[in-house]
Amino acid sequence: MAIKVLVVDDSALIRSLLSEIVRADAELQLVGMAPDAFVARDLIKQHSPDVITLDVEMPRMDGLTFLDKLMKGRPTPVVMISSLTERGSEATLRALELGAIDFVAKPKLGIAEGMQAYAEEIRAKLKVAARARMVRRNPASAQRPVERGLPIVGTEKLIAIGASTGGTEAIKEVLLGLPADSPGVVITQHMPPGFTRSFAARLDRLCRVSVCEARDGDRILPGTALLAPGGLHMEVARSGANYVARLSEAPPVNGHRPAVDVMFNSAARCAGRNLIGALLTGMGKDGARGLLEIREAGGYTVAQDEASCVVYGMPREAAEIGAAEEVLPLEEIGPALLAQARKRGSGNRV
């Protein structure tokens, strides 16, 4: 049975483009197009779509308000159509907090180059979203949380986290549990350029660890988390006794740049048994082989379990190839990372 798609966008041109993209795939069925939230509400009642594309900027009721009401009253998988601006990226991250499954950037109209790849990306994300698990969201505090847990001493240990679809909220939950002096953290989340800086800034406001978008040569220090920039691979390297981040425009790996495998593999070579790796929700298999590299190098590895994943793809692949030492629900992963950091001893290099 075809996946029923509803397109919601105030731009007639974008609605027309998205409708053509949907109609070109036999696995998708366009059941309606809406210029605003009120028309969308009626079409949802009429057609019960499996997945909705949603714009943020709309007349009468903005997309975020509509999304919030939808998730409270009739939870439905949503893929946001987001503008490549700072305001657009902030709105997109808020939409993911409210329950949207994924997002794609708005196409540059009138530019034919890359349109086929864009169409394929939208169709792939619609199919994944339609089958994704709707996970109940915990509202994020606007304040930094009260510190809890035992302090971590030492800089030798390193935490590496990889994720894709559903990963922005999963990463946030893990980081919220880390103390201000946790081991250094490196993160690769599949995300296009223009969104990772806003994502890092949002995490930095919420977490006790300091979070920022990585720059080439940044030291990976205790109490800090570096996020791979959209469009660039991030590797972990040694500079004397220190861990540093190295960025590159090398070809995509597993179809992604940044790729989790690139980060995991490099970290395994540099940190060995001092490395603690976690693979979270996401489609595909990126990160599974890298997680296995970490385990074979003597590091600790954990994968998110199916019940708490939005999309159980990457963690499933890791579990199937024996890459994950443990498979845990999301809420247990942060404590497991800290427990392993303590178990592996402490140092005092700064």
Side-chain angles (χ1 to χ4, degrees), residues 68-319:
D68 190 31
K69 292 178 180 294
L70 177 68
M71 291 305 168
K72 289 175 180 175
R74 189 169 182 162
T76 304
V78 170
V79 174
M80 301 301 296
I81 308 297
S82 308
S83 59
L84 278 169
T85 64
E86 184 173 350
R87 181 180 176 185
S89 60
E90 282 290 335
T92 300
L93 292 168
R94 178 59 183 152
L96 295 172
E97 284 185 347
L98 291 171
I101 300 297
D102 208 342
F103 69 95
V104 290
K106 276 194 173 182
K108 294 180 180 178
L109 298 174
I111 301 177
E113 184 180 354
M115 191 55 69
Q116 182 176 348
Y118 178 78
E120 290 172 357
E121 179 187 15
I122 288 180
R123 288 192 283 260
K125 290 194 172 188
L126 288 174
K127 293 172 187 178
V128 169
R131 298 181 175 92
R133 181 176 288 101
M134 299 298 293
V135 176
R136 183 177 296 276
R137 304 293 182 181
N138 296 319
S141 169
Q143 304 295 323
R144 289 180 180 266
V146 177
E147 183 150 356
R148 59 187 183 276
L150 299 173
I152 300 296
V153 180
T155 64
E156 286 299 297
K157 295 169 295 298
L158 181 67
I159 295 172
I161 301 171
S164 185
T165 311
T168 56
E169 291 302 289
I171 289 168
K172 181 176 74 176
E173 181 159 339
V174 172
L175 292 189
L176 282 171
L178 299 184
D181 55 356
S182 86
V185 182
V186 288
I187 304 165
T188 291
Q189 159 74 39
H190 295 161
M191 203 173 245
F195 289 88
T196 43
R197 182 172 298 177
S198 293
F199 180 41
R202 179 175 287 255
L203 291 174
D204 188 60
R205 290 193 295 269
L206 294 170
C207 301
R208 287 167 292 179
V209 294
S210 174
V211 186
C212 63
E213 187 182 60
R215 297 168 302 178
D216 190 59
D218 277 352
R219 284 183 63 188
I220 305 166
L221 296 168
T224 65
L226 298 182
L227 176 69
L232 295 173
H233 290 306
M234 179 170 67
E235 296 185 76
V236 176
R238 280 278 191 180
S239 177
N242 302 313
Y243 298 126
V244 296
R246 293 296 182 199
L247 306 181
S248 81
E249 295 181 338
V253 174
N254 301 318
H256 299 284
R257 189 175 66 200
V260 180
D261 269 340
V262 170
M263 181 185 71
F264 278 176
N265 290 339
S266 63
R269 291 192 298 269
C270 290
R273 67 174 304 277
N274 288 318
L275 182 58
I276 300 161
L279 189 59
L280 309 180
T281 175
M283 68 175 177
K285 62 180 183 179
D286 186 31
R289 289 288 173 186
L291 200 71
L292 183 60
E293 287 283 330
I294 295 173
R295 188 171 189 184
E296 291 178 343
Y300 167 77
T301 58
V302 61
Q304 188 175 345
D305 74 350
E306 182 174 7
S308 64
C309 279
V310 173
V311 177
Y312 190 53
M314 290 154 51
R316 181 202 297 274
E317 183 76 15

Side-chain angles (χ1 to χ4, degrees), residues 315-345:
R316 181 202 297 274
E317 183 76 15
E320 288 179 350
I321 65 174
E325 190 172 332
E326 291 190 276
V327 176
L328 298 174
L330 180 60
E331 64 270 18
E332 295 181 20
I333 290 178
L337 301 182
L338 292 178
Q340 286 296 320
R342 297 186 184 101
K343 181 178 178 181
R344 287 163 191 270

